[in-house]
Amino acid sequence: MPRHARPTAVLVHGAFADASSFARVIPELTAAGMAVVAPAVPNRGLVDDAAYIASVVRAVDGPVILVGHSYGGAVITLAGVEDNVRALVYLAGYALEEGESLGRLQGGFPDSGLADALVRTPFPVPGSAEPGTDVSVAADRFPELFAADVEPALAAVLAVSQRPLAARAFSEPAPVAAWRTKPSWGLVASADRTINPDVERFGYRRAGMTTVEVESSHLVMLSRPRAVAELILEAAQATGH
């Protein structure tokens, strides 16, 4: 595959959200001539979600800049080993080490305030008598924790349209860390109340990423779309695209 081929940004959303999180970033990228794919992440488990995103990446004809927000950062840490991934971009995300889980990484830092706002709901698991557990954020707490600098009317819609995350995703260890072999960029949302910004900083520093800090809530793609798009475009340019 020629290195000068036009890249596609594959945008991977996180827990408690969906691909509409990127609604304000996508026009910025397409205006700059970048193709975009924004898949729906199943949010059923880290390894399974990464396998699905890897299949999306393989279906792209050409180089990929793989972007992950929040839990999506953990997903791209696995899926980013695909051959056509040229760069990883983490947005207020988890950059796991090989063998590390979300719970283990996050457990090394003070809680952001999210833990006491989580709601657990059982869901049926095909072929099993035991239900799974979905985790979401209490709707009345969602705006303050996730979207403090997003318009209140939009934050209210996001609060009741969450895509929950299966609880098992928090304890699954990452079998691989793609940032060890792929150039990576990281954005710290310095006013994040969902993930402690120090969790973001630690993961990015450990990975040797090019890092920027943006004064933003967790949903930086909606509150600061230009800054997000600029970082993605910087990664594309730096990797020869």
Side-chain angles (χ1 to χ4, degrees):
M1 173 188 314
R3 287 184 58 81
H4 61 272
R6 180 171 293 185
T8 296
V10 175
L11 309 178
V12 180
H13 68 79
F16 324 130
D18 59 27
S20 66
S21 303
F22 294 101
R24 292 175 177 167
V25 173
I26 291 170
E28 299 273 353
L29 296 176
T30 56
M34 197 169 200
V36 175
V37 175
V41 183
N43 281 3
R44 297 297 80 189
L46 178 58
V47 173
D48 289 346
D49 290 343
Y52 174 72
I53 293 301
S55 75
V56 172
V57 169
R58 288 194 299 272
V60 174
D61 183 17
V64 164
I65 307 300
L66 189 55
V67 182
H69 173 244
S70 189
Y71 167 68
V75 174
I76 71 169
T77 297
L78 280 59
V81 298
E82 291 298 314
D83 289 343
N84 59 330
V85 172
R86 294 291 180 260
L88 306 172
V89 179
Y90 291 77
L91 307 173
Y94 294 102
L96 300 179
E97 176 60 282
E98 184 175 336
E100 186 175 55
S101 67
L102 291 169
R104 181 177 171 188
L105 173 57
Q106 192 160 262
F109 296 85
D111 180 57
S112 62
L114 178 67
D116 65 356
L118 295 178
V119 177
R120 291 168 175 81
T121 308
F123 68 88
V125 176
S128 173
E130 293 296 320
T133 301
D134 261 342
V135 180
S136 58
V137 180
D140 63 340
R141 300 287 305 281
F142 186 98
E144 63 174 288
L145 292 171
F146 242 67
D149 53 359
V150 174
E151 307 93 299
L154 176 55
V157 171
L158 298 173
V160 299
S161 58
Q162 296 176 51
R163 192 179 186 97
L165 178 65
R168 71 186 183 97
F170 291 99
S171 59
E172 285 186 81
V176 66
W179 48 258
R180 288 192 166 275
T181 57
K182 305 294 174 80
S184 303
W185 282 254
L187 182 150
V188 175
S190 60
D192 201 334
R193 297 188 62 195
T194 297
I195 300 176
N196 183 333
D198 284 340
V199 174
E200 301 164 21
R201 294 182 183 107
F202 172 80
Y204 300 168
R205 184 170 61 248
R206 178 174 62 182
M209 294 186 197
T210 301
T211 303
V212 299
E213 298 223 2
V214 175
E215 181 72 19
S216 170
S217 71
H218 191 58
L219 284 178
V220 63
M221 306 90 72
L222 289 173
S223 65
R224 299 290 299 277
R226 177 65 60 85
V228 169
E230 286 176 351
L231 188 64
I232 296 168
L233 293 168
E234 177 185 326
Q237 183 176 22
T239 53
H241 305 296

CSV table of all heavy atoms in Angstrom, one decimal, residues 88-137:
chain,number,residue,atom,x,y,z
A,88,LEU,N,-2.2,6.1,15.8
A,88,LEU,CA,-3.3,6.1,16.8
A,88,LEU,C,-3.5,7.5,17.4
A,88,LEU,O,-2.5,8.2,17.7
A,88,LEU,CB,-2.9,5.1,17.9
A,88,LEU,CG,-2.5,3.7,17.5
A,88,LEU,CD1,-2.0,2.9,18.7
A,88,LEU,CD2,-3.7,3.0,16.9
A,89,VAL,N,-4.7,7.8,17.6
A,89,VAL,CA,-5.0,9.1,18.3
A,89,VAL,C,-6.0,8.8,19.4
A,89,VAL,O,-7.1,8.3,19.2
A,89,VAL,CB,-5.6,10.1,17.3
A,89,VAL,CG1,-5.9,11.5,18.0
A,89,VAL,CG2,-4.7,10.4,16.1
A,90,TYR,N,-5.6,9.2,20.6
A,90,TYR,CA,-6.4,9.0,21.8
A,90,TYR,C,-7.0,10.3,22.3
A,90,TYR,O,-6.3,11.3,22.4
A,90,TYR,CB,-5.5,8.5,23.0
A,90,TYR,CG,-5.0,7.1,22.8
A,90,TYR,CD1,-3.9,6.8,21.9
A,90,TYR,CD2,-5.5,6.0,23.5
A,90,TYR,CE1,-3.4,5.5,21.7
A,90,TYR,CE2,-5.1,4.7,23.3
A,90,TYR,CZ,-4.0,4.5,22.4
A,90,TYR,OH,-3.5,3.2,22.3
A,91,LEU,N,-8.3,10.3,22.5
A,91,LEU,CA,-9.0,11.5,22.9
A,91,LEU,C,-9.6,11.2,24.3
A,91,LEU,O,-10.5,10.4,24.5
A,91,LEU,CB,-10.2,11.8,22.0
A,91,LEU,CG,-9.8,11.9,20.5
A,91,LEU,CD1,-11.0,12.1,19.6
A,91,LEU,CD2,-8.8,13.1,20.3
A,92,ALA,N,-9.0,11.9,25.3
A,92,ALA,CA,-9.5,11.6,26.7
A,92,ALA,C,-9.6,10.1,26.9
A,92,ALA,O,-10.6,9.7,27.4
A,92,ALA,CB,-10.8,12.4,27.0
A,93,GLY,N,-8.6,9.4,26.5
A,93,GLY,CA,-8.7,7.9,26.5
A,93,GLY,C,-7.8,7.1,27.3
A,93,GLY,O,-6.9,7.6,27.9
A,94,TYR,N,-8.1,5.8,27.4
A,94,TYR,CA,-7.3,4.9,28.1
A,94,TYR,C,-6.3,4.2,27.2
A,94,TYR,O,-6.6,3.6,26.2
A,94,TYR,CB,-8.2,3.7,28.6
A,94,TYR,CG,-9.2,4.1,29.7
A,94,TYR,CD1,-10.5,4.3,29.4
A,94,TYR,CD2,-8.8,4.3,31.0
A,94,TYR,CE1,-11.4,4.6,30.3
A,94,TYR,CE2,-9.7,4.6,32.0
A,94,TYR,CZ,-11.0,4.8,31.6
A,94,TYR,OH,-12.0,5.1,32.6
A,95,ALA,N,-5.0,4.5,27.5
A,95,ALA,CA,-3.9,3.8,26.7
A,95,ALA,C,-3.4,2.7,27.6
A,95,ALA,O,-2.5,2.9,28.4
A,95,ALA,CB,-2.8,4.8,26.4
A,96,LEU,N,-3.9,1.5,27.4
A,96,LEU,CA,-3.6,0.4,28.3
A,96,LEU,C,-2.2,-0.2,27.9
A,96,LEU,O,-1.8,-0.2,26.7
A,96,LEU,CB,-4.6,-0.7,28.1
A,96,LEU,CG,-6.0,-0.4,28.5
A,96,LEU,CD1,-7.0,-1.6,28.3
A,96,LEU,CD2,-6.1,0.1,30.0
A,97,GLU,N,-1.5,-0.8,28.9
A,97,GLU,CA,-0.3,-1.6,28.6
A,97,GLU,C,-0.8,-3.0,28.4
A,97,GLU,O,-1.9,-3.5,28.8
A,97,GLU,CB,0.6,-1.5,29.8
A,97,GLU,CG,1.9,-2.3,29.8
A,97,GLU,CD,2.8,-2.0,28.6
A,97,GLU,OE1,2.4,-2.5,27.5
A,97,GLU,OE2,3.8,-1.4,28.8
A,98,GLU,N,0.1,-3.8,27.7
A,98,GLU,CA,-0.2,-5.2,27.6
A,98,GLU,C,-0.4,-5.9,28.9
A,98,GLU,O,0.4,-5.7,29.9
A,98,GLU,CB,0.9,-5.9,26.8
A,98,GLU,CG,0.7,-7.4,26.5
A,98,GLU,CD,1.8,-7.9,25.7
A,98,GLU,OE1,2.5,-7.2,25.0
A,98,GLU,OE2,2.0,-9.2,25.7
A,99,GLY,N,-1.5,-6.6,29.1
A,99,GLY,CA,-1.8,-7.3,30.3
A,99,GLY,C,-2.6,-6.5,31.3
A,99,GLY,O,-2.9,-6.9,32.4
A,100,GLU,N,-2.9,-5.2,31.0
A,100,GLU,CA,-3.5,-4.3,31.9
A,100,GLU,C,-5.0,-4.1,31.5
A,100,GLU,O,-5.4,-4.1,30.4
A,100,GLU,CB,-2.8,-2.9,31.8
A,100,GLU,CG,-3.3,-1.9,32.8
A,100,GLU,CD,-2.5,-0.6,32.7
A,100,GLU,OE1,-2.4,-0.1,31.5
A,100,GLU,OE2,-1.9,-0.2,33.7
A,101,SER,N,-5.9,-4.0,32.6
A,101,SER,CA,-7.3,-3.8,32.3
A,101,SER,C,-7.6,-2.3,32.6
A,101,SER,O,-6.8,-1.6,33.2
A,101,SER,CB,-8.1,-4.7,33.3
A,101,SER,OG,-7.9,-4.3,34.6
A,102,LEU,N,-8.8,-1.9,32.2
A,102,LEU,CA,-9.3,-0.6,32.5
A,102,LEU,C,-9.3,-0.4,34.0
A,102,LEU,O,-8.9,0.7,34.5
A,102,LEU,CB,-10.7,-0.4,32.0
A,102,LEU,CG,-10.9,-0.3,30.5
A,102,LEU,CD1,-12.4,-0.4,30.1
A,102,LEU,CD2,-10.3,1.0,29.9
A,103,GLY,N,-9.9,-1.4,34.7
A,103,GLY,CA,-10.0,-1.2,36.2
A,103,GLY,C,-8.6,-1.1,36.9
A,103,GLY,O,-8.5,-0.3,37.8
A,104,ARG,N,-7.6,-1.8,36.4
A,104,ARG,CA,-6.3,-1.7,37.0
A,104,ARG,C,-5.7,-0.4,36.7
A,104,ARG,O,-5.1,0.2,37.6
A,104,ARG,CB,-5.4,-2.9,36.4
A,104,ARG,CG,-4.0,-2.9,37.0
A,104,ARG,CD,-3.2,-4.0,36.4
A,104,ARG,NE,-1.8,-4.0,36.8
A,104,ARG,CZ,-0.9,-4.7,36.4
A,104,ARG,NH1,-1.2,-5.7,35.5
A,104,ARG,NH2,0.4,-4.6,36.7
A,105,LEU,N,-5.7,0.1,35.5
A,105,LEU,CA,-5.2,1.4,35.2
A,105,LEU,C,-5.8,2.5,36.0
A,105,LEU,O,-5.2,3.3,36.6
A,105,LEU,CB,-5.3,1.7,33.7
A,105,LEU,CG,-4.8,3.1,33.2
A,105,LEU,CD1,-3.4,3.4,33.6
A,105,LEU,CD2,-5.0,3.3,31.7
A,106,GLN,N,-7.1,2.5,36.0
A,106,GLN,CA,-7.9,3.6,36.6
A,106,GLN,C,-7.7,3.5,38.1
A,106,GLN,O,-7.7,4.5,38.8
A,106,GLN,CB,-9.4,3.5,36.2
A,106,GLN,CG,-10.2,4.7,36.6
A,106,GLN,CD,-11.5,4.7,35.8
A,106,GLN,OE1,-11.6,5.5,34.9
A,106,GLN,NE2,-12.5,4.0,36.3
A,107,GLY,N,-7.6,2.2,38.7
A,107,GLY,CA,-7.5,2.0,40.1
A,107,GLY,C,-6.2,2.6,40.7
A,107,GLY,O,-6.2,2.8,42.0
A,108,GLY,N,-5.3,3.0,39.9
A,108,GLY,CA,-4.1,3.6,40.5
A,108,GLY,C,-4.1,5.1,40.7
A,108,GLY,O,-3.1,5.7,41.1
A,109,PHE,N,-5.3,5.7,40.5
A,109,PHE,CA,-5.5,7.1,40.6
A,109,PHE,C,-6.8,7.4,41.4
A,109,PHE,O,-7.7,6.6,41.4
A,109,PHE,CB,-5.6,7.8,39.2
A,109,PHE,CG,-4.3,7.6,38.4
A,109,PHE,CD1,-4.1,6.4,37.7
A,109,PHE,CD2,-3.3,8.6,38.4
A,109,PHE,CE1,-2.9,6.2,36.9
A,109,PHE,CE2,-2.1,8.4,37.7
A,109,PHE,CZ,-1.9,7.2,37.0
A,110,PRO,N,-6.8,8.6,42.0
A,110,PRO,CA,-8.1,9.0,42.6
A,110,PRO,C,-9.3,9.0,41.7
A,110,PRO,O,-9.1,9.3,40.5
A,110,PRO,CB,-7.8,10.5,43.1
A,110,PRO,CG,-6.3,10.5,43.2
A,110,PRO,CD,-5.8,9.7,42.1
A,111,ASP,N,-10.4,8.6,42.2
A,111,ASP,CA,-11.6,8.5,41.3
A,111,ASP,C,-12.0,9.9,40.8
A,111,ASP,O,-11.9,10.9,41.5
A,111,ASP,CB,-12.8,7.9,42.1
A,111,ASP,CG,-14.0,7.8,41.3
A,111,ASP,OD1,-14.0,7.2,40.3
A,111,ASP,OD2,-15.1,8.3,41.8
A,112,SER,N,-12.6,9.9,39.6
A,112,SER,CA,-13.0,11.2,39.0
A,112,SER,C,-14.3,11.7,39.5
A,112,SER,O,-14.7,12.8,39.3
A,112,SER,CB,-13.1,11.0,37.5
A,112,SER,OG,-14.1,10.0,37.2
A,113,GLY,N,-15.1,10.8,40.2
A,113,GLY,CA,-16.4,11.2,40.6
A,113,GLY,C,-17.5,10.4,39.9
A,113,GLY,O,-18.7,10.4,40.2
A,114,LEU,N,-17.0,9.7,38.8
A,114,LEU,CA,-18.0,8.9,38.0
A,114,LEU,C,-18.5,7.7,38.8
A,114,LEU,O,-19.7,7.3,38.6
A,114,LEU,CB,-17.3,8.4,36.8
A,114,LEU,CG,-18.1,7.5,35.8
A,114,LEU,CD1,-19.2,8.3,35.2
A,114,LEU,CD2,-17.2,6.9,34.7
A,115,ALA,N,-17.7,7.0,39.6
A,115,ALA,CA,-18.1,5.7,40.2
A,115,ALA,C,-19.4,5.8,40.9
A,115,ALA,O,-20.2,4.8,40.7
A,115,ALA,CB,-17.0,5.3,41.2
A,116,ASP,N,-19.7,6.8,41.6
A,116,ASP,CA,-21.0,6.8,42.4
A,116,ASP,C,-22.2,7.2,41.6
A,116,ASP,O,-23.3,7.3,42.1
A,116,ASP,CB,-20.9,7.7,43.7
A,116,ASP,CG,-20.7,9.2,43.3
A,116,ASP,OD1,-20.5,9.5,42.1
A,116,ASP,OD2,-20.7,10.0,44.3
A,117,ALA,N,-21.9,7.5,40.3
A,117,ALA,CA,-23.0,7.8,39.4
A,117,ALA,C,-23.4,6.7,38.4
A,117,ALA,O,-24.3,6.8,37.6
A,117,ALA,CB,-22.7,9.1,38.5
A,118,LEU,N,-22.7,5.6,38.5
A,118,LEU,CA,-22.9,4.4,37.6
A,118,LEU,C,-24.2,3.7,38.0
A,118,LEU,O,-24.4,3.4,39.2
A,118,LEU,CB,-21.7,3.5,37.6
A,118,LEU,CG,-20.4,4.2,37.0
A,118,LEU,CD1,-19.3,3.2,37.1
A,118,LEU,CD2,-20.6,4.6,35.6
A,119,VAL,N,-24.9,3.2,37.0
A,119,VAL,CA,-26.1,2.4,37.2
A,119,VAL,C,-25.8,1.0,36.5
A,119,VAL,O,-25.4,1.0,35.4
A,119,VAL,CB,-27.3,3.1,36.5
A,119,VAL,CG1,-28.5,2.2,36.6
A,119,VAL,CG2,-27.6,4.4,37.2
A,120,ARG,N,-26.2,0.0,37.2
A,120,ARG,CA,-25.9,-1.4,36.7
A,120,ARG,C,-27.3,-2.1,36.4
A,120,ARG,O,-28.2,-2.1,37.3
A,120,ARG,CB,-25.1,-2.2,37.7
A,120,ARG,CG,-23.7,-1.7,37.7
A,120,ARG,CD,-22.9,-2.3,38.9
A,120,ARG,NE,-21.5,-1.9,38.8
A,120,ARG,CZ,-21.0,-0.7,39.3
A,120,ARG,NH1,-21.9,0.2,39.8
A,120,ARG,NH2,-19.8,-0.4,39.2
A,121,THR,N,-27.4,-2.6,35.2
A,121,THR,CA,-28.7,-3.2,34.8
A,121,THR,C,-28.4,-4.6,34.1
A,121,THR,O,-27.5,-4.7,33.3
A,121,THR,CB,-29.4,-2.3,33.7
A,121,THR,OG1,-29.4,-1.0,34.3
A,121,THR,CG2,-30.7,-2.8,33.4
A,122,PRO,N,-29.1,-5.6,34.5
A,122,PRO,CA,-28.9,-6.9,33.9
A,122,PRO,C,-29.4,-6.9,32.4
A,122,PRO,O,-30.4,-6.2,32.1
A,122,PRO,CB,-29.7,-7.9,34.8
A,122,PRO,CG,-30.7,-7.0,35.4
A,122,PRO,CD,-30.2,-5.7,35.6
A,123,PHE,N,-28.7,-7.7,31.6
A,123,PHE,CA,-29.2,-8.0,30.2
A,123,PHE,C,-29.0,-9.4,29.9
A,123,PHE,O,-28.1,-10.1,30.4
A,123,PHE,CB,-28.5,-7.1,29.2
A,123,PHE,CG,-27.0,-7.4,29.0
A,123,PHE,CD1,-26.6,-8.3,28.1
A,123,PHE,CD2,-26.1,-6.7,29.8
A,123,PHE,CE1,-25.3,-8.6,27.9
A,123,PHE,CE2,-24.7,-7.0,29.6
A,123,PHE,CZ,-24.3,-8.0,28.6
A,124,PRO,N,-29.9,-10.0,29.0
A,124,PRO,CA,-29.8,-11.4,28.7
A,124,PRO,C,-28.6,-11.7,27.8
A,124,PRO,O,-28.3,-11.0,26.9
A,124,PRO,CB,-31.1,-11.7,28.0
A,124,PRO,CG,-31.5,-10.4,27.4
A,124,PRO,CD,-31.0,-9.3,28.4
A,125,VAL,N,-27.9,-12.8,28.1
A,125,VAL,CA,-26.8,-13.3,27.4
A,125,VAL,C,-27.2,-14.5,26.6
A,125,VAL,O,-27.6,-15.5,27.2
A,125,VAL,CB,-25.6,-13.6,28.3
A,125,VAL,CG1,-24.4,-14.2,27.4
A,125,VAL,CG2,-25.2,-12.4,29.0
A,126,PRO,N,-27.2,-14.5,25.2
A,126,PRO,CA,-27.7,-15.7,24.5
A,126,PRO,C,-26.8,-16.9,24.9
A,126,PRO,O,-25.6,-16.9,25.0
A,126,PRO,CB,-27.4,-15.3,23.0
A,126,PRO,CG,-27.4,-13.8,23.0
A,126,PRO,CD,-26.9,-13.4,24.4
A,127,GLY,N,-27.6,-18.0,25.1
A,127,GLY,CA,-26.9,-19.3,25.4
A,127,GLY,C,-26.5,-19.4,26.8
A,127,GLY,O,-25.8,-20.4,27.2
A,128,SER,N,-26.8,-18.4,27.7
A,128,SER,CA,-26.4,-18.5,29.1
A,128,SER,C,-27.6,-18.3,30.0
A,128,SER,O,-28.4,-17.4,29.7
A,128,SER,CB,-25.3,-17.5,29.4
A,128,SER,OG,-25.0,-17.4,30.8
A,129,ALA,N,-27.6,-19.0,31.1
A,129,ALA,CA,-28.7,-18.7,32.1
A,129,ALA,C,-28.3,-17.5,33.0
A,129,ALA,O,-29.2,-17.0,33.6
A,129,ALA,CB,-28.8,-20.0,33.0
A,130,GLU,N,-27.1,-17.1,32.9
A,130,GLU,CA,-26.6,-16.0,33.8
A,130,GLU,C,-26.7,-14.7,32.9
A,130,GLU,O,-26.2,-14.6,31.8
A,130,GLU,CB,-25.2,-16.2,34.2
A,130,GLU,CG,-25.0,-17.3,35.2
A,130,GLU,CD,-25.8,-17.1,36.5
A,130,GLU,OE1,-25.8,-15.9,37.0
A,130,GLU,OE2,-26.4,-18.0,37.1
A,131,PRO,N,-27.3,-13.7,33.5
A,131,PRO,CA,-27.4,-12.4,32.7
A,131,PRO,C,-26.0,-11.7,32.8
A,131,PRO,O,-25.2,-11.9,33.7
A,131,PRO,CB,-28.4,-11.6,33.5
A,131,PRO,CG,-28.4,-12.1,34.9
A,131,PRO,CD,-28.0,-13.6,34.8
A,132,GLY,N,-25.8,-10.8,31.8
A,132,GLY,CA,-24.7,-9.9,31.9
A,132,GLY,C,-25.1,-8.7,32.6
A,132,GLY,O,-26.3,-8.5,33.0
A,133,THR,N,-24.2,-7.8,32.8
A,133,THR,CA,-24.5,-6.5,33.5
A,133,THR,C,-24.1,-5.3,32.6
A,133,THR,O,-22.9,-5.2,32.2
A,133,THR,CB,-23.7,-6.4,34.8
A,133,THR,OG1,-24.1,-7.5,35.7
A,133,THR,CG2,-24.0,-5.1,35.6
A,134,ASP,N,-25.0,-4.5,32.3
A,134,ASP,CA,-24.7,-3.2,31.6
A,134,ASP,C,-24.4,-2.1,32.6
A,134,ASP,O,-25.1,-2.1,33.7
A,134,ASP,CB,-25.9,-2.8,30.8
A,134,ASP,CG,-25.8,-3.2,29.3
A,134,ASP,OD1,-24.7,-3.5,28.9
A,134,ASP,OD2,-26.8,-3.2,28.6
A,135,VAL,N,-23.5,-1.3,32.2
A,135,VAL,CA,-23.2,-0.1,33.1
A,135,VAL,C,-23.5,1.2,32.3
A,135,VAL,O,-23.0,1.3,31.1
A,135,VAL,CB,-21.7,-0.2,33.5
A,135,VAL,CG1,-21.4,1.0,34.4
A,135,VAL,CG2,-21.4,-1.5,34.2
A,136,SER,N,-24.2,2.1,32.9
A,136,SER,CA,-24.5,3.4,32.3
A,136,SER,C,-24.3,4.4,33.4
A,136,SER,O,-24.0,4.1,34.6
A,136,SER,CB,-25.9,3.4,31.7
A,136,SER,OG,-26.8,3.1,32.7
A,137,VAL,N,-24.5,5.7,33.0
A,137,VAL,CA,-24.4,6.8,33.9
A,137,VAL,C,-25.8,7.3,34.3
A,137,VAL,O,-26.6,7.5,33.4
A,137,VAL,CB,-23.6,7.9,33.3
A,137,VAL,CG1,-23.4,9.1,34.3
A,137,VAL,CG2,-22.2,7.4,32.9
